[in-house]
């Protein structure tokens, strides 16, 4: 690992990447399913949704969400009672014909999707029937539990995240994955949804930033944002609508403390104290982030003379750690 903070973040980023072979297998199977459903006359096209589609998914790859745009000639029938379940039944028949070993709804029977398990893949596909809205990105997706078709702007979400990623030189989705890894490793934040962290980053990161800077400003924004409703990146859904007052206060306290330490790490990085910065990021994010080299006694004593002490207890020559280093006065006799 490079001993700079940037090098540590690059290694962290690499650690979070999905397995390349799994990603290619998922794309290949997506294309195969699309071709077969279109040729069978059930669909006019498909598209991917969810964190896999937006490239913000953490490994391992567990499921792929695939929206099936049903053929318009079927809409009148599918709008009738039992239509959502019928759409899934039609898709199931075609998939079973193409893949005789496929299993359906084994682990779960989601309301909005037909879950498909393929023998040779370690991840599932969730096939979501949808009805198009003419000249619009909006679709209506099936809900077999409530026998309805629900409004969805998932294509809009895909588009705006892709646009933001381009505006940040392709760094945005990497930084979102880092934030998701942080929340996954924090017991007080792990229950928050992944899209919430995309929403935080979408507001905070609008241009090309180094990873450490992007995470620090996003955490600072999040510490303020969680006190209020937080809309998804399309500006439609409040992702915090079901939070209790106690939960909101806990998130405020936790993120405020985290943001302070992230800011400390950034100050130390700016002063060239990379080991100290890396050590703080490791304590915040956990094992996926590289560990810093241990500090030897000679360096610690030298730093204590004029620098500061970080929140992890490391002595640094920079004065911008958590607290000043105040060596005790030498003992003098009278």
């Amino acid at each position: 690992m490079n001993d700079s903070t940037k090098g540590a973040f690059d290694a962290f980023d690499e650690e979070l990447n999905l397995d390349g072979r799994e990603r290619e297998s998922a794309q290949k199977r997506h294309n195969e399913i699309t071709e077969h459903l279109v040729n069978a006359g059930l669909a006019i096209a498909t598209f991917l949704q969810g964190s896999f589609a937006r490239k913000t998914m953490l490994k391992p790859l567990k499921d792929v969400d695939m929206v099936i745009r049903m053929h318009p000639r079927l809409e009148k029938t599918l709008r009738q009672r039992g239509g959502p379940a019928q759409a899934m039944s039609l898709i199931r028949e075609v998939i079973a014909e193409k893949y005789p070993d496929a299993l359906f709804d084994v682990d779960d029977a989601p309301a909005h999707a037909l879950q498909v398990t393929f023998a040779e893949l370690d991840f599932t596909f969730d096939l979501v029937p949808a009805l198009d809205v003419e000249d619009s990105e909006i679709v209506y997706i099936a809900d077999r539990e409530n026998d309805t078709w629900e409004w969805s702007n998932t294509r809009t979400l895909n588009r705006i995240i892709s646009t933001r990623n381009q505006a940040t030189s392709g760094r945005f989705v990497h930084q979102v994955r880092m934030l998701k890894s942080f929340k996954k490793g924090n017991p007080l934040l792990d229950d928050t949804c992944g899209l919430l962290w995309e929403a935080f980053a979408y507001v905070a990161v609008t241009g090309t930033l180094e990873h450490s800077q992007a995470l620090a400003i996003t955490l600072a924004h999040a510490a303020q944002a969680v006190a209020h409703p937080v809309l998804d990146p399309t500006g439609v859904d409040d992702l915090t609508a079901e939070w209790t007052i106690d939960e909101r206060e806990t998130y405020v306290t936790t993120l405020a403390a985290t943001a302070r330490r992230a800011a400390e790490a950034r100050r130390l990085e700016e002063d060239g104290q990379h080991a100290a910065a890396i050590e703080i990021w490791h304590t915040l994010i956990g094992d996926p982030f590289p560990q810093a080299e241990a500090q030897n006694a000679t360096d610690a004593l030298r730093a204590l003379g004029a620098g500061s002490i970080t929140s992890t207890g490391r002595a640094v020559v920079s004065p911008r750690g958590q607290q000043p280093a105040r060596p005790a006065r030498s003992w003098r006799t009278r």
Side-chain angles (χ1 to χ4, degrees):
M1 181 195 79
N2 189 306
D3 60 1
S4 70
T5 308
K6 181 181 182 303
F9 270 94
D10 288 343
F12 177 41
D13 182 35
E14 184 67 26
E15 179 65 23
L16 298 181
N17 286 338
L18 291 178
D19 181 273
R21 289 171 297 181
E22 284 192 333
R23 186 172 59 249
E24 290 175 4
S25 295
Q27 291 286 2
K28 180 181 178 182
R29 185 53 48 89
H30 166 234
N31 293 335
E32 292 172 354
I33 292 173
T34 301
E35 181 179 9
H36 198 60
L37 291 174
V38 170
N39 289 342
L42 280 188
I44 56 171
T46 70
F47 64 90
L48 297 175
Q49 68 172 1
S51 57
F52 179 76
R54 299 191 300 274
K55 300 181 175 63
T56 60
M57 177 179 282
L58 291 178
K59 69 178 184 182
L61 176 57
K62 295 180 181 179
D63 54 70
V64 178
D65 289 342
M66 183 172 170
V67 178
I68 314 300
R69 296 168 59 198
M70 305 299 288
H71 199 287
R73 67 176 175 79
L74 299 171
E75 180 168 355
K76 184 176 180 180
T77 299
L78 297 179
R79 284 286 189 181
Q80 296 175 9
R81 185 174 181 179
Q86 183 183 1
M88 293 188 194
S89 179
L90 291 171
I91 293 171
R92 176 172 178 161
E93 290 176 7
V94 173
I95 297 299
E97 178 185 6
K98 174 69 174 178
Y99 304 97
D101 294 334
L103 301 175
F104 301 91
D105 294 335
V106 174
D107 299 324
D108 190 16
H112 298 104
L114 175 69
Q115 186 191 75
V116 187
T117 302
F118 297 101
E120 73 278 19
L121 299 179
D122 293 329
F123 48 89
T124 61
F125 270 77
D126 286 346
L127 306 186
V128 182
L131 301 176
D132 274 340
V133 175
E134 189 175 357
D135 298 326
S136 172
E137 291 180 326
I138 300 304
V139 293
Y140 283 86
I141 62 174
D143 182 341
R144 57 177 162 179
E145 286 186 3
N146 296 310
D147 195 21
T148 60
W149 294 89
E150 294 186 1
W151 182 94
S152 171
N153 66 345
T154 185
R155 282 197 286 186
T156 303
L157 178 60
N158 286 354
R159 174 177 54 79
I160 67 173
I161 293 299
S162 176
T163 300
R164 178 55 52 84
N165 193 49
Q166 294 170 17
T168 61
S169 304
R171 296 184 182 183
F172 181 81
V173 296
H174 297 264
Q175 291 158 359
V176 168
R177 288 201 296 263
M178 294 176 185
L179 289 162
K180 288 183 176 181
S181 180
F182 156 72
K183 78 100 177 176
K184 181 180 178 181
N186 190 310
L188 293 177
L189 299 171
D190 190 32
D191 285 341
T192 59
C193 71
L195 186 56
L196 177 71
W197 295 87
E198 296 190 41
F200 290 149
Y202 188 76
V203 172
V205 181
T206 59
T208 303
L209 300 175
E210 293 294 338
H211 295 323
S212 62
Q213 184 180 8
L215 263 64
I217 66 170
T218 300
L219 290 169
H221 164 70
Q224 300 293 322
V226 291
H228 311 282
V230 180
L231 299 181
D232 76 272
T234 70
V236 173
D237 294 324
D238 177 9
L239 302 174
T240 69
E242 297 182 359
W243 288 4
T244 66
I245 294 175
D246 287 345
E247 286 175 328
R248 201 175 291 276
E249 291 177 349
T250 296
Y251 296 146
V252 167
T253 301
T254 301
L255 285 168
T258 300
R260 287 193 294 271
R261 298 192 66 199
E264 178 192 12
R266 280 287 299 161
R267 294 193 300 269
L268 293 167
E269 178 186 356
E270 290 170 353
D271 286 355
Q273 302 298 292
H274 293 290
I278 291 168
E279 187 171 74
I280 292 172
W281 284 116
H282 177 76
T283 61
L284 290 178
I285 296 170
D287 287 340
F289 196 90
Q291 294 191 39
E293 293 183 2
Q295 186 175 40
N296 62 53
T298 300
D299 289 342
L301 288 171
R302 182 166 57 247
L304 283 170
S308 60
I309 298 173
T310 72
S311 57
T312 61
R314 179 184 287 253
V316 291
V317 295
S318 166
R320 299 203 290 170
Q322 185 185 57
Q323 62 185 32
R326 295 188 178 92
R329 295 176 61 185
S330 58
W331 181 261
R332 293 185 298 174
T333 58
R334 294 184 181 182

